[in-house]
Amino acid sequence: MKQLLRFFLKRSTWSIPYAIFLVGFVVLPLILIFLYAFQDAEGNFTLANFSKFISSPEAANTFVYSIGIAIVTTVLCILLGYPAAYILSNSELCRSKVMVVLFILPMWINILVRTLATVALFDFLRLPLGEGALIFGMVYNFLPFMIYPIYNVMQKMDHSYIEAAQDLGANPMTVFRKVVVPLSMPGVMSGVMMVFMPTISTFAISELLTMNNIKLFGTTIQENINNGMWNYGAALSLIMLVIIFATELFSDGDGDRASNEGGII
Amino acid sequence: MKDSNFIIELSHISKSFGDKQVLDDVSLFVKKGEFVTILGPSGCGKTTLLRILAGFGTADEGEIRIDGKDITSVPPHERPVNTVFQRYALFPHLNVYDNIAFGLKLKKVKDDEIELRVRKALKMVGMTDYEWRDVNSLSGGQQQRVAIARAIVNRPQVLLLDEPLAALDLKMRKDMQMELKDMHKTLGITFVYVTHDQEEALTLSDTIVVMSEGKVQQIGTPTDIYNEPANSFVADFIGESNILNGTMVEDRVVSFMGREWECVDEGFGENAPVDVVIRPEDIYIMAKTDSGMLEGTVQSCIFKGVHYEMTVTTPDGYEIMIQDYNAFEVGQQVSMIIKPSDIHVMHKERTCNTFEATMIDSTHVEFLSTQFVCNEQAGITGGEKVEVEVNFDRIELMDNKEDGMLVGDVRFILYKGDHYHLTVRTFDGDNIYVDTHDVWDDRDIVGVKIMPDDIRIKRV
């Protein structure tokens, strides 16, 4: 009885449910994706799924196109989000927290609802759905994920760095270029990860905002799996995972700082 | 004042943050090549003054000139000064070399000259071979050295230092003090140094500016400030001291601790109330003899490394602090001698509290935004402006602030041998001066009570 009690009071005991959950819903599926990707429908080892991807122009094109859309979205998010974060974090320009909340507010609403509303808005304004609408929708949906980490880093930035730069002879423009921008890079890296990765794999937004005319990589995976092509779908997922993992490694140079100071992740 | 040899001229600088006045008509003139220290307790406005000099804050009133040029409204990046910040403020995204070269690169100095000057600056602060180190990997002392190098490499006319050694440990601080002094000699540029550490100020400076409550209390050489403090605040803040109430009987004769003493001060007038300051190391203590000037009993004796610090009580109940190389046992009867030149006499800033007041009716008077009952005043009508005087020792302080007529907090405590002299600040920012035998702590919130008999009303 006493031993049982001690078992339940140990802190490590409390982690068991989480461990079970993680194994069941994260590790196991990943292993399954990996196994399925290297098997044919009968369960024999094969590399056919990958050669199919490389040889079929359609899937490869979708893949390249998706990455292109993700890059465009991310760049637009930086261009729009960086000034916004700068203004929000500057107490002289923005005195109340209301602005911050207003920027973050869209995140409280379900992404599908927001996207459906965007479709309705485009219909109402008689704007065509398609590539433009897709990028608009993506930027609209992911912009808060770019603003928030940058805002966080900028807000915590020690004001004495700015004063030190002024003191050494930097005018306001130079202070921004040589101190504020480099010091806020960890926030930008966090923002890039939070925008770039989900935009590669998104499919609901593209389906709704292009009337299913433009296929993104996420859509391709979803279609294959829906049509019972489990092995091919798994291979495509694996390729996408590798790409995402690579971006993470690529940004790891600043990644140490990004994870320390970068706000929400 | 074009032909003056002052490099910095601060005239009548005032600054308020909201209701709080941080600088009150501060004027300061600094000679070229001088090492000036602005010394004061935290919150005295010294950092604000330095920031105004650097350009990070603007003065509400007053004028700043550097080298004869009016720079009152010149932005910080165009001022011929450089600052060493309290917490270094080294750019974390740049290495040591790029931190130091930052200012030179902005001035478009040629690359090979930058390299030469950076190396020279690094050598000066004893950090040769650290060029390519990440600043985050340096210790506090090393970061401070880089911060100093980053400032001096620009060859400013004036170097501002904002408590640069405050974050270092004692040993390191002592070493850096010496190095700063050497650096000042070698570079020949003007240093303006801000600190709350009086010992540091005495060690480093050519001139010390003592500040309190936004006002300059005294400007002088370290010796002057130490030996001839201008008022009881300076005497208390710089070094240890015994501060006592006294009366200047006539020129060269002052009376305190129940007897008359020969001194060297003149010109106070006859029977003028004064503050007397005696440094603890200036009192000669010996076993009881007939030739002593004062007798007493040792109350405590603490070894302080170089000397012993003793408290001695006199038969009249005064408690004085004495530092001597010889120890005397607790309870021992001792005699003391004080040389005339070691008795420092200062004007009293005030001998009682004076408030501007308004009569409400013949038995009520309003001052300090509070209504007080007073004795019946014949012939004074309601609404008339009057002056109220209250003696220091007639003001009662209460633990429980509800018991008082108004509330304030204790700001400055001065031990005067047999009682404490407190400054109590009301929430409206007025000062009430109180003599008390009770022990209060700094920032204690107290209730203040004044009885009708103790309120003296004077027509203006």
Side-chain angles (χ1 to χ4, degrees), chain A residues 107-120:
Chain A
M107 287 210 281
W108 298 355
I109 300 161
N110 180 282
I111 189 166
L112 279 178
V113 177
R114 271 185 286 163
T115 308
L116 284 169
T118 314
V119 174

Side-chain angles (χ1 to χ4, degrees), chain A residues 28-259:
Chain A
L28 213 58
L30 277 174
I31 293 172
L32 285 178
I33 287 176
F34 192 78
L35 289 178
Y36 270 60
F38 290 97
Q39 282 175 356
D40 59 20
E42 277 80 45
N44 303 315
F45 176 79
T46 175
L47 290 172
N49 296 320
F50 294 95
S51 52
K52 186 178 168 191
F53 169 72
I54 293 162
S55 58
S56 88
E58 199 213 352
N61 281 347
T62 315
F63 185 65
V64 172
Y65 184 74
S66 296
I67 288 180
I69 289 282
I71 289 174
V72 170
T73 307
T74 311
V75 168
L76 282 175
C77 278
I78 294 176
L79 290 179
L80 290 171
Y82 194 89
Y86 182 67
I87 292 168
L88 287 176
S89 66
N90 195 327
S91 54
E92 278 167 35
L93 296 174
C94 175
R95 288 193 174 273
S96 72
K97 294 258 174 222
V98 177
M99 285 272 279
V100 183
V101 175
L102 284 178
F103 269 102
I104 306 300
L105 203 64
M107 287 210 281
W108 298 355
I109 300 161
N110 180 282
I111 189 166
L112 279 178
V113 177
R114 271 185 286 163
T115 308
L116 284 169
T118 314
V119 174
L121 189 72
F122 269 68
D123 279 345
F124 178 74
L125 296 172
R126 292 173 198 286
L127 291 167
L129 294 174
E131 201 173 49
L134 171 64
I135 290 173
F136 177 86
M138 297 263 239
V139 171
Y140 168 60
N141 273 309
F142 289 106
L143 187 59
F145 292 97
M146 181 62 81
I147 292 178
Y148 200 70
I150 302 177
Y151 165 75
N152 234 358
V153 169
M154 283 191 174
Q155 217 199 9
K156 282 189 213 140
M157 195 185 293
D158 193 340
H159 195 71
S160 62
Y161 295 135
I162 292 166
E163 287 184 352
Q166 288 177 327
D167 187 73
L168 293 166
N171 61 32
M173 198 52 225
T174 319
V175 171
F176 183 76
R177 214 158 36 83
K178 292 217 160 184
V179 178
V180 178
V181 170
L183 286 180
S184 59
M185 280 325 275
V188 176
M189 288 323 294
S190 278
V192 166
M193 280 198 230
M194 303 210 40
V195 173
F196 185 72
M197 292 178 202
T199 45
I200 295 186
S201 60
T202 183
F203 63 91
I205 297 176
S206 63
E207 271 184 30
L208 291 170
L209 281 172
T210 66
M211 313 281 280
N212 229 350
N213 281 332
I214 297 177
K215 262 205 243 171
L216 291 186
F217 201 55
T219 324
T220 314
I221 297 173
Q222 183 230 8
E223 278 174 354
N224 275 300
I225 290 187
N226 273 0
N227 296 335
M229 318 261 286
W230 288 78
N231 302 95
Y232 188 47
L236 294 180
S237 301
L238 194 62
I239 290 166
M240 193 177 70
L241 279 175
V242 168
I243 294 293
I244 290 178
F245 191 64
T247 34
E248 181 129 22
L249 281 184
F250 165 73
S251 60
D252 228 22
D254 295 307
D256 275 347
R257 277 229 290 279
S259 48

Side-chain angles (χ1 to χ4, degrees), chain A residues 158-175 177-183 257 261, chain B residues 51 54 56 76-79 81-83 85 87 89-93 99 102-103 105-107 136 150-151 154:
Chain A
D158 193 340
H159 195 71
S160 62
Y161 295 135
I162 292 166
E163 287 184 352
Q166 288 177 327
D167 187 73
L168 293 166
N171 61 32
M173 198 52 225
T174 319
V175 171
R177 214 158 36 83
K178 292 217 160 184
V179 178
V180 178
V181 170
L183 286 180
R257 277 229 290 279
E261 302 169 15
Chain B
R51 289 178 60 84
F56 302 133
H77 64 272
E78 289 168 13
R79 296 193 179 196
V81 301
N82 282 116
T83 310
F85 292 85
R87 283 184 300 121
L90 296 177
F91 304 121
H93 59 293
N99 259 287
F102 193 90
K105 282 182 183 162
L106 289 176
K107 284 190 197 108
N136 301 305
R150 186 176 68 173
N154 301 293

